[in-house]
Amino acid sequence: SDKILLRYKEEAGERKDEMIAFSEKDLIVGEDDASTQLELKLISPLRDQPYEEPKLVSNNEDIEVSFRRRSAGEGGMVIFGLSLLVVYGCNVNKKAEAKIKITIPVPPWDPVVATWTKKCKPSTPSELNIGTSAEKADVIANGVVAKEFNIEYESGLSFKNSHYRIDVKSHNQMFYISNQDKEINIHEVIIETKDDSILAVDVAVPNRGAADYVREDETQIMAGQTKTLNLRFICFLEGETSVLVTLSTAKHGPIEFGFVKICEPGVRVIESGFLRTSGSLFYILIAVGVLVAVSMLWGMRKYAGSLLASRRSYAPVAQTRP
C-alpha cells in the first residue's frame, strides 16, 4: 500500500539522524555500525494497521541479523508508526558484506519489503570480562557467558530457578566491564524485560565520575580499563521478571547477559538523600500542583482586596456652579 512507508535512521553525513525512506535512498550500513533503527510509518488518513511478525534474512551466514525490542517484533497493531531496531553480528575473518532483507506482513495489503547492505570487517577474539564486582568476572569471562546469566532473546527471555536473582530490596545493580585485549566501542545498551508491567529498567549515570560509567549510547572502554554499567530498577507490581541486557558493539557483535529481578510495588528507594517509591513521584507532582493553585488563588484574592480598598478610599469632589 502507498499508505505504509518503511524508513531508516541515517547514521552519518549531511542527513545524520534523519529518517529516510528506502524508496528514496539505498541503505549501506558501515563496518562500525552495530545496529539500524527502522520505522514503519503510516501515511494519513491511515491511522492504524495490523501487522504480523517481521522476518529478517541475511544472505551471508557469517553476518547475523536480529531484532531487539521484542514486543515490537512479535506483530500486533501499528498506531501511526512502529519502531524496530535491527542488530548485526559480524563473525568474519576478512572483509565481507551481506544483503539484508526485511519482510513485514500487513494484511490485507501486500507485505512491506526492503533490502540493504551490511559491511563487516574481521572480528577480534574477545577478552571481555563482566562481573558483579570489579574483582570478579562472574557474568562473562573471556567472552563466555556464565550459565546463571545466560538468558536468551530467542527463547522469549524465559528463565529458570537457577538464573541469577536480584532481591526485592535492590533498586540498582552495578556491572563492571573490562577488556584486557583491545578497546570496546559500545554503540548502545539495549534492555528488554519479559514483563514490563512488573518492572522498568534504565541506565543511570551519576553527575560525578560520569566518565567511569557506561552510558546508554556511545561508550568507549580502552584496553585495560574498567567501566561501570549501573542499572536502575523501578517496580510497578509484585512478581519477578527476567531482564536481558544487550551491548551493541560492531567488532564483537551483540554481547548479551541476563538475570531475574524480584519486585514488589512501592519499594522504598533512596536516591541522593531523597526518599522515592514507584508511586511517590505521581503524588509529589499532585501536591506541587495543589500548592501552586492555592498560592495563585491566594494572590488573586489579595490583589482583589487591595483593589477594592483603593476604590473605596477614592472620593470624588463635588463641583459647584459659579
Side-chain angles (χ1 to χ4, degrees):
S1 171
D2 58 358
K3 300 299 182 183
I4 305 174
L5 188 65
L6 187 62
R7 308 191 296 182
Y8 65 88
K9 184 177 180 181
E10 183 78 299
E11 296 294 340
E14 295 181 356
R15 302 182 66 178
K16 187 178 188 302
D17 294 332
E18 283 189 33
M19 299 303 294
I20 300 175
F22 279 93
S23 58
E24 180 183 349
K25 180 184 175 184
D26 291 338
L27 171 61
I28 299 176
V29 181
E31 295 175 345
D32 294 324
D33 294 329
S35 60
T36 299
Q37 183 74 48
L38 303 181
E39 179 189 53
L40 194 64
K41 179 71 173 176
L42 302 184
I43 308 300
S44 181
L46 194 60
R47 295 184 178 182
D48 54 70
Q49 169 66 43
Y51 75 101
E52 297 175 359
E53 182 181 358
K55 303 295 183 184
L56 272 175
V57 178
S58 167
N59 71 346
N60 187 334
E61 62 181 9
D62 295 325
I63 300 177
E64 300 173 352
V65 59
S66 59
F67 287 118
R68 289 300 177 270
R69 300 192 181 124
R70 181 173 51 89
S71 58
E74 293 178 339
M77 183 69 71
V78 182
I79 308 297
F80 295 108
L82 171 72
S83 179
L84 293 167
L85 185 68
V86 176
V87 176
Y88 308 103
C90 294
N91 305 303
V92 297
N93 54 19
K94 61 181 180 180
K95 288 194 173 187
E97 63 180 46
K99 289 293 183 183
I100 310 299
K101 180 179 180 181
I102 184 172
T103 303
I104 307 176
V106 285
W109 316 109
D110 292 336
V112 176
V113 179
T115 59
W116 66 94
T117 301
K118 167 60 182 158
K119 294 185 175 182
C120 286
K121 58 187 176 182
S123 56
T124 305
S126 176
E127 299 295 333
L128 179 76
N129 292 318
I130 301 179
T132 54
S133 73
E135 296 76 28
K136 294 181 180 179
D138 54 338
V139 180
I140 295 179
N142 295 325
V144 179
V145 183
K147 285 184 178 180
E148 59 181 339
F149 289 92
N150 190 13
I151 289 178
E152 297 178 346
Y153 178 87
E154 288 73 15
S155 70
L157 277 64
S158 63
F159 59 94
K160 303 175 182 177
N161 291 333
S162 58
H163 281 117
Y164 185 86
R165 276 171 162 70
I166 298 175
D167 64 34
V168 71
K169 296 180 180 179
S170 298
H171 64 276
N172 76 315
Q173 175 68 50
M174 305 280 199
F175 293 98
Y176 299 84
I177 305 172
S178 64
N179 188 32
Q180 301 304 318
D181 182 23
K182 292 185 179 181
E183 68 182 45
I184 303 173
N185 291 301
I186 300 173
H187 293 277
E188 186 175 7
V189 179
I190 306 162
I191 301 172
E192 295 273 357
T193 56
K194 184 174 178 64
D195 190 341
D196 54 15
S197 67
I198 293 176
L199 174 70
V201 187
D202 64 8
V203 177
V205 178
N207 292 327
R208 291 186 177 181
D212 296 325
Y213 283 76
V214 175
R215 299 186 299 275
E216 192 170 3
D217 58 359
E218 297 302 334
T219 300
Q220 185 179 57
I221 304 177
M222 303 302 293
Q225 187 181 29
T226 298
K227 289 198 176 184
T228 304
L229 174 62
N230 181 20
L231 300 183
R232 179 172 52 191
F233 307 123
I234 301 175
C235 288
F236 305 117
L237 299 173
E238 183 176 357
E240 60 181 23
T241 182
S242 57
V243 178
L244 179 67
V245 179
T246 302
L247 308 179
S248 176
T249 71
K251 291 184 178 180
H252 306 289
I255 299 165
E256 296 183 326
F257 63 91
F259 53 86
V260 177
K261 177 70 177 85
I262 305 171
C263 276
E264 63 182 33
V267 176
R268 291 188 172 188
V269 174
I270 299 291
E271 283 190 1
S272 303
F274 180 77
L275 181 64
R276 191 181 82 172
T277 70
S278 60
S280 63
L281 289 178
F282 175 74
Y283 295 111
I284 289 172
L285 290 174
I286 290 178
V288 170
V290 170
L291 287 174
V292 170
V294 169
S295 65
M296 289 178 65
L297 288 172
W298 175 258
M300 292 172 65
R301 183 178 179 183
K302 188 175 180 181
Y303 173 74
S306 63
L307 185 63
L308 182 61
S310 66
R311 287 181 175 178
R312 287 175 176 174
S313 65
Y314 174 73
V317 178
Q319 296 186 4
T320 58
R321 296 172 67 103

